[in-house]
Amino acid sequence: MNVTRREFGRLTALGVAAHWAPSLNAQAGTKKIGYAVIGLGRIADHFMRGSLLTSNSAITGLVSGHRDKADRIAAQYKVPQNSIYNYENFDEIARNPAIDAVYVALPNSMHAEYTIRAAKAGKHVLCEKPMCVSVAEAESMIAACKAANVKLMIAYRCQYEPIHLKAIKLIRDGQLGKIEAIESAYGFNEVAGEWRLDKKLAGGGPLFDVGIYCLNACRYLTGEEPTDLHGYTSVVDHDGRFTTVEENVAWNMKFPSGAVASCSTTYGAPMDGFFRVFGSKGTLECDPAFNYDHLHLRGRFSGTRLDDNETTPDPYQFQAEADHFSNCIINNQQPKTPGEEGLRDMTYITKIYASAGIKI
Ligand code: NDP
């Protein structure tokens, strides 16, 4: 998939039009998938805006600890008052036929509980990354969704983004030759008081939050699962922010082909996300790689120079993932990034921390 700006404009126009007119699915005799959004924070806003641009998804429920905020957002998205829930009465969504699925946009340590409660209520689950905060939780989320016969997808937005898909295709087509090494990093300077600095809510530091993009990218770029993982953690800024989670993580990975990766992540510096792939026939670099838009892919390989700025404005990545998950529900297909994909990352994160002496 490679969507140009012009095509995006057309798709957006169609998507917006579809929001006001009956959707293509509705016209074809099927309905839009109705999502209840759990946790009305920053990422939920991107998702809700993205879902509006699809023809197969709608926001039909809200779950929040703040009723005033929920009321405001409900008015914006035309969510009826009787489809607004809080964390205590959430299980009542079981009786709401307008809600087919939930989008879990809560702090990391709450993902497992709300995924399992949603599954028990008979709702499909699109859960933000990181999937949860331990391997055991990931396994129980997968088991709960299987038992309830509902779908589970982890919101790895980059796996639905055209520039990343192009990079994967170039590598799979052999344009770079054999992959020898990958470098990737992503981080930011976290402010004091954020839940991300509280291990009880976050599970761990920047590897859970943003380093996971590098880990996941190394896996989909190589198409391989790492066999050896070694990590280091550190704190540079002793300013009170890093009492329960670490500030920095660096890690190395080795893949079955022999390809090696070195990655780092931080909560102490503005570290624009990037990846660089070094192959026997050339290199490919994406920088920035993990933003919501304006990604930039450059490469030199097989006698070609690539300089591809073409991307799709935010909230396209969220539109694409909502569109994918809704289609999977409508057509009874397995999502491209199911719970098992999140479980794999959780397993590797656990190994990286374990090698640094930290138990998850
Ligand atoms: P925010 O802090 O902006 O929002 C989280 C929301 O969760 C809050 O607004 C609140 O909603 C609800 N909440 C419930 N309990 C708590 C609590 N104890 N402390 C804080 N919030 C609580 O977080 P983000 O939106 O940035 O992150 C949410 C999830 O999304 C995380 O898992 C994160 O990793 C992931 N994420 C994914 C991104 C992506 O690109 N895919 C980017 C950013 C985040 P309310 O007031 O409505 O109850």
Side-chain angles (χ1 to χ4, degrees), residues 108-109 111-112 127-142 154 156 202-205 207-209 212 215-216 219 225-226 229 338-354 358-360:
N108 309 342
S109 70
H111 291 187
C127 179
E128 262 308 336
K129 45 53 62 182
M131 179 174 180
C132 51
V133 296
S134 72
V135 168
E137 277 189 357
E139 287 169 345
S140 59
M141 290 161 77
I142 292 169
I154 310 305
Y156 284 113
L207 176 53
F208 273 90
D209 188 27
I212 192 169
L215 169 59
N216 200 247
R219 293 180 45 236
E225 300 300 329
L229 303 98
E340 287 77 2
E341 175 75 352
L343 168 61
R344 280 183 212 110
D345 276 348
M346 201 50 59
T347 304
Y348 303 135
I349 286 173
T350 305
K351 285 186 179 175
I352 292 166
Y353 278 115
I358 295 174
K359 193 173 176 327
I360 296 302

Side-chain angles (χ1 to χ4, degrees), residues 37-46 63-67 69-70 73 87 103-111 114 127-131 155-158 186 194-196 201 208-210 212-213 290 292 317-318 321:
V37 176
I38 315 177
L40 306 179
R42 286 160 286 202
I43 206 64
D45 175 59
H46 289 267
V63 184
S64 174
H66 295 93
R67 182 68 194 217
K69 178 170 59 172
I73 295 173
Y87 300 113
Y103 169 63
V104 180
L106 294 161
N108 309 342
S109 70
M110 300 172 76
H111 291 187
Y114 284 86
C127 179
E128 262 308 336
K129 45 53 62 182
M131 179 174 180
Y156 284 113
R157 60 181 166 79
C158 292
Y186 194 22
E194 273 283 329
W195 63 259
R196 285 175 166 79
L201 287 168
F208 273 90
D209 188 27
V210 276
I212 192 169
Y213 287 93
F290 305 119
Y292 300 136
Q317 296 176 18
F318 301 88
E321 69 185 13

Side-chain angles (χ1 to χ4, degrees), residues 46-83:
H46 289 267
F47 177 78
M48 289 188 282
R49 288 189 286 113
S51 68
L52 271 194
L53 301 178
T54 69
S55 61
N56 60 8
S57 315
I59 305 303
T60 54
L62 300 173
V63 184
S64 174
H66 295 93
R67 182 68 194 217
D68 49 343
K69 178 170 59 172
D71 282 341
R72 256 196 334 272
I73 295 173
Q76 206 179 331
Y77 287 88
K78 301 187 170 50
V79 174
Q81 288 284 309
N82 61 5
S83 291

Side-chain angles (χ1 to χ4, degrees), residues 176-182 222 253 255 257-261 277-282:
L176 269 71
K178 289 182 188 158
I179 302 308
E180 305 290 342
I182 301 185
T222 57
M253 298 184 283
F255 294 86
S257 63
V260 291
V277 186
F278 302 92
S280 55
K281 290 188 189 166

